[in-house]
Amino acid sequence: MKILAITASGRKKGNSVIAATYIAKQLDAELEILNLTKLNIEPCKACYACLYGEECKIEDDVGLVYERIKGNDVILICSPVYWLDATGKMKALVDRQFMAIPYLKEFSKKYAAIITPYGFKELKGWASATHIILTKVLGLNLLVNAEINAALPGEILIEKESMKKLEIVIEAIKNRKRIVLEDQCPVCLNSVFRIDNGILCPICGSKLDLKLNVLEKGDRLELKWMVEHYEVLRNMKEEFKRKKEEIFKVLKMVEEHGT
């Protein structure tokens, strides 16, 4: 088994890398660590060129990420929380995933697991939700989403509860078994919810009851949904072309008013 651990932490021996190394060792797997902090990942320019089958106009390392994913069996998103959310390079990578369109079918045959170390329980935030979105827009099959309380380097291997969650991740990867942990959406494994005439999962769009049982299953960010959504975006660009003169006329009036 070949595992690619994608992290976005500046710590060379932080809990993310330590956890990935431990998991690979327990699975007797070959491990490759891809640290996004060492890569050049530029912001998306929203030009939509990739939506029309063109190559991205930005010359950076996002293509390298795809090549590394292609060469591995399991993708482990193993990266920490900073200010409630995922780190900057991880979020930048998520924004560039319009580029993943040509890879979606190939990546849909691969599996993923998430480990999100956080330092303070009251500041756990929603980083794991961002990590889930990355696996979804890449088309990967997510097996487990483990949020683990571990702040000090190496702490992830000394706390009983942390080790318990690592063993669950190992079980999920070993058996290709999808595992839903406590207080997670049973559809997409997200742990952050929205109140909207009940409980709504903001990632997959599922409607849930107070015990997180599924009342209405959502399919947002699933492969079929992604394909249809990209077609909607293409149509939006065509709509913009049709309205361009009208839009530019209004913009000119606003600019003139501002001067």
Side-chain angles (χ1 to χ4, degrees):
M1 184 191 302
K2 298 175 69 176
I3 297 176
L4 174 68
I6 299 179
T7 188
S9 169
R11 287 181 175 174
K12 294 181 180 179
K13 295 184 179 180
N15 285 305
S16 298
V17 173
I18 290 172
T21 304
Y22 175 80
I23 288 170
K25 185 176 181 179
Q26 295 301 308
L27 291 169
D28 194 25
E30 181 180 334
L31 175 67
E32 178 182 357
I33 296 175
L34 185 63
N35 195 328
L36 302 183
T37 65
K38 300 182 182 300
L39 302 182
N40 177 27
I41 300 176
E42 296 292 327
C44 179
K45 295 182 178 180
C47 69
Y48 282 8
C50 53
L51 281 176
Y52 290 86
E54 300 176 27
E55 290 190 8
C56 182
K57 308 300 182 183
I58 302 172
E59 295 184 4
D60 62 1
D61 293 325
V62 175
L64 173 66
V65 176
Y66 297 145
E67 290 303 312
R68 295 295 186 268
I69 292 174
K70 286 169 64 176
N72 287 273
D73 307 305
V74 176
I75 312 306
L76 181 60
I77 309 298
C78 198
S79 198
V81 178
Y82 278 3
W83 287 109
L84 296 174
D85 201 352
T87 62
K89 278 294 182 73
M90 189 67 74
K91 287 182 283 189
L93 181 64
V94 172
D95 285 346
R96 292 289 300 284
Q97 292 318 300
F98 291 113
M99 285 178 62
I101 295 173
Y103 301 90
L104 290 177
K105 288 187 178 180
E106 181 178 359
F107 288 175
S108 68
K109 301 173 185 177
K110 296 181 181 292
Y111 293 90
I114 294 172
I115 294 177
T116 306
Y118 62 92
F120 303 92
K121 290 184 177 180
E122 68 274 17
L123 294 173
K124 179 168 65 171
W126 49 86
S128 71
T130 301
H131 297 155
I132 289 173
I133 292 169
L134 178 59
T135 66
K136 290 289 187 181
V137 294
L138 283 169
L140 303 171
N141 292 297
L142 181 59
L143 296 171
V144 64
N145 172 34
E147 298 169 288
I148 301 180
N149 186 206
L152 304 175
E155 187 177 15
I156 201 164
L157 294 185
I158 64 173
E159 297 295 333
K160 184 177 180 181
E161 187 61 29
S162 299
M163 289 300 298
K164 181 180 177 182
K165 287 191 175 180
L166 289 180
E167 294 302 325
I168 291 174
V169 173
I170 291 168
E171 177 189 356
I173 295 174
K174 182 179 180 179
N175 299 315
R176 300 294 195 269
K177 175 184 177 183
R178 189 171 178 276
I179 300 177
V180 182
L181 300 181
E182 186 179 5
D183 297 330
Q184 290 185 345
C185 171
V187 176
C188 70
L189 311 185
N190 170 44
S191 62
V192 180
F193 303 97
R194 179 177 296 151
I195 304 300
D196 186 4
N197 293 321
I199 297 178
L200 178 71
C201 176
I203 294 182
C204 68
S206 294
K207 294 181 180 180
L208 311 169
D209 65 17
L210 292 177
K211 294 183 178 180
L212 301 185
N213 296 310
V214 178
L215 299 177
E216 183 178 328
K217 185 178 180 294
D219 62 354
R220 187 186 300 154
L221 299 189
E222 294 298 332
L223 183 59
K224 183 175 181 292
W225 184 96
M226 295 286 290
V227 172
E228 293 173 350
H229 180 65
Y230 286 135
E231 186 59 33
V232 171
L233 291 178
R234 293 186 191 99
N235 292 334
M236 286 177 62
K237 186 166 183 177
E238 296 305 316
E239 180 69 13
F240 172 75
K241 290 178 180 178
R242 288 191 290 271
K243 295 182 177 179
K244 185 166 60 175
E245 289 188 12
E246 180 183 353
I247 292 171
F248 285 170
K249 183 178 180 180
V250 174
L251 289 175
K252 186 176 181 180
M253 291 173 57
V254 172
E255 291 171 355
E256 289 175 350
H257 180 73
T259 57

